[in-house]
Amino acid sequence: YQRRVHGGKFLYTNRRELNDKELGQFITKEENQEIFRSFISAIHFADLEIDCALRHMLHTFALPGEGQIVDRVIKIFSEKYFEENKETGEIKSDKAARALAFSVMLLNTDAHSTQVANKMTLKQFFRNNQGFNDGEDFSEELLTDIYNRITHDEFKLEANPLSESTKSGYLLVRRGSILAKKRWVILHDNVLYESVKPPVTGEKWKKDPPTAVLCLKGAKLEPPTTLSYTLTIHKDECDGDINKHVVPDCDVYTQWQPKKGPFFIKLSSTSSRDIKGWFTQIMKVLEKEEKKLKESSKKDKKKEKPKENNENKNKMDSPKDLQSLKSPKESKDKDPK
């Protein structure tokens, strides 16, 4: 059992070195359920909307298309998702999470399949999810946000580093006095990527490269306002190497560079729930960066202490110090010659 638990975490850590299809086939086998549970235990779903969490998980490996496998994967995913969000989210049980997760996958297929002529409307999506939350309805705000993200950005059942983002979606982006523009924003690791439209999964960002890349290291965050659903990111100065950030699945770098000195960026959403989600996830990134900085300073201090001890030791070993350690009697008895 212990081997299976550690094996799942090992596979997650090294997933990018492995063939995503073979990895998916292995961890989703019925006899490897404990390995799969261990695999997704390394993924944090807390404070994520269910479609964002599902997207994140499904891009760490290639999910086989068999119905029984998909059902098993969604069941295990829903249990973990509900466990991490039961105190803060509106989803009332793992069964409700499972029903909504399946609904998300059906919406994704309906919205992006060329074989479906009449696409599902938002009202139909509401109707399809009535009573799924343990007999009650999910809020319209939750379902609207999910519908907008899924219909604008397809997620495929294949591994993709960029799609392992914490959060993504359309926002109005304003920098200083420049007019706000609608941009697809992706939060990946500690970097915000902006593009005119969502990148094509599994392909390079060649036709529509990121219009801007912002490293959140050293940034300060102002919470969203109640009326405008807007949050503000402040930085004292632009990173000198902002244009050198590696963009996943892209061989083109950003063209935008702010002026020297302090600057700010405003991100606005049409939904209170959505902008609060962005605020929570960016705050987690900033807290993580602050923790890294403290740990780094502690390590530097530890390195300095042995150096000081060695310097003191060398000083004590010098001839002058040894001479001074001699007793007064030894000094008097010494031959003047």
Side-chain angles (χ1 to χ4, degrees):
Y1 175 78
Q2 289 297 326
R3 286 181 181 179
R4 286 174 176 267
V5 170
H6 292 302
K9 291 180 179 178
F10 174 81
L11 290 173
Y12 178 83
T13 304
N14 297 278
R15 66 194 181 282
R16 292 177 186 170
E17 308 299 323
L18 304 172
N19 180 287
D20 59 300
K21 290 183 179 179
E22 292 180 0
L23 174 63
Q25 289 171 356
F26 177 74
I27 62 176
T28 58
K29 287 182 179 179
E30 188 172 3
E31 61 268 27
N32 290 335
Q33 289 188 53
E34 291 305 323
I35 292 177
F36 181 64
R37 289 180 190 277
S38 170
F39 182 88
I40 67 168
S41 70
I43 309 174
H44 300 291
F45 296 145
D47 299 315
L48 284 178
E49 298 290 8
I50 193 167
D51 60 303
C52 297
L54 187 61
R55 184 191 297 272
H56 184 70
M57 182 195 72
L58 291 177
H59 285 295
T60 57
F61 62 92
L63 178 66
E66 289 86 342
Q68 288 183 339
I69 294 176
V70 173
D71 184 67
R72 187 161 53 245
V73 166
I74 295 300
K75 181 178 182 296
I76 295 172
F77 159 79
S78 302
E79 290 170 356
K80 184 176 188 297
Y81 179 83
F82 175 69
E83 186 62 31
E84 292 190 20
N85 291 278
K86 61 184 178 182
E87 300 297 331
T88 56
E90 69 172 74
I91 298 176
K92 295 191 173 182
S93 68
D94 60 312
K95 289 181 180 179
R98 186 179 177 186
L100 186 54
F102 271 117
S103 183
V104 166
M105 294 190 71
L106 289 172
L107 173 64
N108 184 69
T109 303
D110 179 276
H112 301 285
S113 174
T114 54
Q115 297 179 355
V116 180
N118 299 318
K119 304 296 183 183
M120 190 188 303
T121 65
L122 180 58
K123 287 185 178 180
Q124 288 172 330
F125 187 58
F126 286 164
R127 188 164 58 248
N128 292 345
N129 288 283
Q130 283 181 348
F132 278 1
N133 197 12
D134 282 7
E136 297 182 9
D137 294 344
F138 298 108
S139 68
E140 289 191 0
E141 189 177 23
L142 170 65
L143 295 179
T144 301
D145 287 344
I146 291 174
Y147 182 88
N148 289 335
R149 282 191 293 267
I150 296 298
T151 53
H152 282 119
D153 185 22
E154 177 186 9
F155 63 85
K156 298 181 180 179
L157 308 184
E158 60 184 28
N160 185 285
L162 182 64
S163 297
E164 292 181 36
S165 55
T166 309
K167 193 166 177 61
S168 61
Y170 275 115
L171 293 172
L172 284 176
V173 181
R174 178 190 165 196
R175 301 184 192 88
S177 58
I178 301 174
L179 291 175
K181 293 182 179 180
K182 187 179 181 180
R183 290 288 183 262
W184 184 263
V185 182
I186 296 174
L187 176 60
H188 182 79
D189 291 334
N190 66 341
V191 180
L192 280 175
Y193 299 96
E194 298 170 32
S195 62
V196 177
K197 61 182 181 181
V200 179
T201 305
E203 296 179 10
K204 287 186 178 293
W205 245 343
K206 287 184 177 179
K207 292 183 180 179
D208 299 290
T211 55
V213 176
L214 176 66
C215 180
L216 293 170
K217 187 177 180 180
K220 294 178 182 178
L221 189 61
E222 188 178 319
T225 57
T226 308
L227 298 176
S228 62
Y229 306 147
T230 300
L231 61 82
T232 308
I233 301 171
H234 296 271
K235 288 201 76 173
D236 292 334
E237 60 181 352
C238 172
D239 295 344
D241 61 344
I242 191 169
N243 283 338
K244 296 179 183 177
H245 282 296
V246 177
V247 182
D249 273 354
C250 179
D251 50 12
V252 184
Y253 298 129
T254 174
Q255 301 298 315
W256 177 73
Q257 183 88 1
K259 295 179 180 179
K260 292 182 179 179
F263 66 96
F264 68 87
I265 295 176
K266 288 184 177 290
L267 304 178
S268 301
S269 176
T270 56
S271 158
S272 171
R273 184 189 190 92
D274 186 49
I275 202 66
K276 284 178 182 177
W278 278 101
F279 178 77
T280 301
Q281 296 307 322
I282 294 174
M283 275 301 299
K284 284 186 177 182
V285 171
L286 297 182
E287 288 168 1
K288 192 175 179 181
E289 288 296 321
E290 189 177 353
K291 188 178 179 182
K292 281 183 185 177
L293 187 63
K294 287 180 180 179
E295 288 175 354
S296 178
S297 61
K298 283 181 181 179
K299 286 180 182 178
D300 291 339
K301 287 179 181 179
K302 285 181 181 179
K303 287 179 181 178
E304 289 174 4
K305 285 182 180 180
K307 190 176 179 182
E308 290 174 3
N309 292 335
N310 289 333
E311 287 176 359
N312 292 333
K313 187 177 179 182
N314 292 334
K315 287 179 182 178
M316 289 299 293
D317 290 342
S318 65
K320 289 183 179 179
D321 290 324
L322 291 172
Q323 184 69 28
S324 65
L325 289 173
K326 288 183 178 182
S327 64
K329 188 176 181 181
E330 286 178 328
S331 300
K332 286 180 183 179
D333 294 341
K334 189 176 179 181
D335 189 352
K337 292 180 181 179

